[in-house]
């Protein structure tokens, strides 16, 4: 994220003496950029959540927003291209994930250094999974960067993150849409953003970062040297991200499998603990890995709130008295 001064839209404080509103931002990998549009639309409508809980990319957007850096994140996301995405992928084969994540973490630290979860202006919790036990862990204090990176530590892709002596991975394995967390933190009204409501059968293996036609082209641009014919990094990246004969890549298969897990788990958990209002961006056309489609996802997030305004008004009227 570029180091620019952000307009802190989160400066709008919740109204006093009213029922607490919780916002549960779900997981969804690249589709998670829609959360930016959701947050913008809600606050424009005067709906300012007292509590924000996020899983995976939901934790990223929620934490950055409450730290006052949402404009910075949005500008960075809107400027992503497939080549830029690959530049942020620092590959490794000797740790707990294919991507070390150091470059992404550095971007977060440049903007959020020293920010603590407990010092944010509103309540925040990121949802993670303890690798040793499978327990659902809520991070409500400590370094915001650690809370975010632990929540999006996709197994096999990013390495686990050690927080307070525990190795943590992506919270989507246990609670993809953290409605229950908002309620536990005192929210009377819970608004949930489910990024997987419109993707069944549409996108589990779509949105490859590099396919047969573009893999060599993208890798050549990364090297800035098209004459270079041999590179161990190129070979590894082509095997992981490229696909041939219409067979999904290794990376897409891993991510698509997690998407199936979180889709099924989301349905189960939301049935058992439904939100008061569910916002469901229509993101079936956005592949799981298509981070370069931020503009489409953000706009759809904004529009999904507009479609949900009648339900939002009804819930606020009934539950907020």
């Amino acid at each position: 994220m570029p180091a620019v001064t952000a307009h802190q839209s989160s400066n709008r404080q919740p109204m006093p003496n009213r029922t607490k509103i919780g916002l549960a931002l779900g997981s969804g990998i690249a589709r998670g950029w829609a959360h930016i549009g959701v947050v913008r639309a809600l606050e424009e409508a005067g709906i300012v959540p007292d509590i924000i809980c996020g899983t995976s990319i939901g934790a990223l957007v929620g934490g950055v927003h409450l730290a006052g850096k949402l404009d910075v994140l949005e500008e960075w996301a809107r400027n992503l291209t497939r080549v830029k995405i690959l530049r942020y992928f620092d590959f490794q084969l000797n740790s707990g994930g294919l991507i070390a994540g150091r470059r992404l973490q550095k971007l977060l630290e440049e903007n959020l250094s020293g920010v603590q979860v407990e010092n944010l202006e509103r309540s925040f919790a990121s949802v993670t999974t303890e690798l040793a036990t499978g327990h659902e862990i809520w991070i409500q204090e400590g370094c915001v960067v650690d809370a975010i990176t632990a929540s999006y530590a996709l197994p096999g892709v990013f390495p686990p993150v050690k927080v307070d002596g525990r190795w943590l991975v992506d919270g989507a394995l246990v609670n993809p849409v953290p409605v229950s967390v908002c309620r536990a933190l005192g929210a009377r009204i819970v608004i949930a953003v489910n990024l997987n409501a419109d993707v069944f059968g549409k996108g589990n293996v779509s949105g490859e970062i590099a396919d047969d036609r573009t893999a060599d082209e993208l890798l050549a641009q990364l090297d800035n040297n098209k004459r270079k014919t041999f590179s161990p990094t190129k070979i590894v990246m082509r095997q992981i991200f490229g696909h041939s004969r219409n067979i999904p890549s290794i990376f897409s298969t891993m991510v698509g499998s997690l998407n199936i897990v979180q889709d099924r788990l989301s349905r189960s958990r939301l049935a058992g603990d439904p939100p008061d209002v569910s916002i469901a961006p229509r993101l079936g056309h956005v592949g799981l890995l298509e981070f370069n489609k931020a503009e489409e996802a953000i706009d759809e997030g904004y529009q999904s709130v507009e479609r949900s305004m009648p339900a939002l008004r009804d819930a606020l009227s009934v539950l907020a008295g």
Side-chain angles (χ1 to χ4, degrees):
M1 290 174 281
V4 300
T5 301
H7 170 67
Q8 298 188 12
S9 59
S10 59
N11 283 343
R12 295 180 61 183
Q13 297 291 333
M15 293 183 296
N17 302 320
R18 66 165 173 80
T19 301
K20 285 187 177 181
I21 298 174
L23 178 61
L25 300 177
S27 59
I29 315 180
R31 294 167 184 145
W33 295 140
H35 289 317
I36 297 174
V38 169
V39 169
R40 298 286 194 205
L42 286 175
E43 298 207 344
E44 282 184 18
I47 302 171
V48 184
D50 305 86
I51 299 161
I52 296 181
C53 300
T55 298
S56 197
I57 196 164
L60 170 65
V61 174
V64 169
H65 170 52
L66 291 182
K69 297 290 185 177
L70 190 62
D71 285 357
V72 182
L73 178 63
E74 181 174 354
E75 180 183 344
W76 179 76
R78 286 183 181 272
N79 287 316
L80 281 176
T81 64
R82 294 203 298 176
V83 171
K84 286 182 179 179
I85 294 167
L86 286 173
R87 288 187 186 279
Y88 286 108
F89 286 179
D90 42 356
F91 298 98
Q92 60 179 9
L93 298 176
N94 60 348
S95 187
L98 295 172
I99 300 169
R102 288 185 293 268
R103 295 172 188 169
L104 293 172
Q105 184 168 356
K106 182 180 179 182
L107 285 172
L108 289 170
E109 289 174 345
E110 287 174 356
N111 289 276
L112 303 176
S113 177
V115 179
Q116 300 291 300
V117 173
E118 59 269 29
N119 294 332
L120 296 173
E121 63 179 36
R122 285 175 263 163
S123 297
F124 173 71
S126 75
V127 178
T128 70
T129 305
E130 185 177 15
L131 187 60
T133 63
H135 290 168
E136 181 177 333
I137 305 296
W138 305 344
I139 301 181
Q140 298 175 255
E141 60 182 21
C143 175
V144 168
V145 174
D146 287 345
I148 291 171
T149 55
S151 190
Y152 72 59
L154 196 66
V157 179
F158 293 106
V161 177
K162 197 170 190 178
V163 179
D164 293 335
R166 295 182 290 197
W167 288 106
L168 306 177
V169 294
D170 199 319
L173 295 174
V174 289
N175 197 348
V177 187
V179 172
S180 59
V181 187
C182 288
R183 293 207 189 281
L185 297 187
R188 163 73 167 160
I189 303 170
V190 178
I191 303 167
V193 185
N194 182 4
L195 301 176
N196 299 297
D198 183 50
V199 300
F200 179 73
K202 295 181 180 179
N204 286 345
V205 294
S206 66
E208 298 283 357
I209 291 179
D211 55 23
D212 283 338
R213 184 174 57 83
T214 59
D216 289 338
E217 174 188 344
L218 291 171
L219 294 172
Q221 290 183 55
L222 282 172
D223 284 339
N224 290 320
N225 181 3
K226 294 184 180 181
R227 293 173 297 177
K228 189 173 182 179
T229 58
F230 175 78
S231 164
T233 301
K234 273 189 177 184
I235 293 173
V236 171
M237 289 174 65
R238 188 175 293 110
Q239 290 295 320
I240 294 171
F241 292 102
H243 64 87
S244 60
R245 299 185 303 279
N246 296 318
I247 300 174
S249 69
I250 296 173
F251 192 76
S252 182
T253 301
M254 291 169 57
V255 173
S257 297
L258 178 63
N259 186 62
I260 293 170
V261 171
Q262 69 181 14
D263 174 55
R264 296 299 187 270
L265 186 55
S266 294
R267 297 183 192 203
S268 175
R269 296 207 60 157
L270 291 175
D273 189 7
D276 300 294
V277 180
S278 182
I279 296 174
R282 297 167 182 167
L283 298 166
H285 63 288
V286 178
L288 294 169
L289 311 179
E290 293 181 314
F291 291 96
N292 54 302
K293 290 189 175 181
E295 185 170 354
E296 295 177 47
I298 292 169
D299 291 347
E300 173 53 29
Y302 190 97
Q303 293 170 21
S304 68
V305 173
E306 293 185 331
R307 292 193 299 269
S308 302
M309 281 310 299
L312 284 164
R313 293 193 188 99
D314 288 346
L316 290 169
S317 175
V318 172
L319 295 173

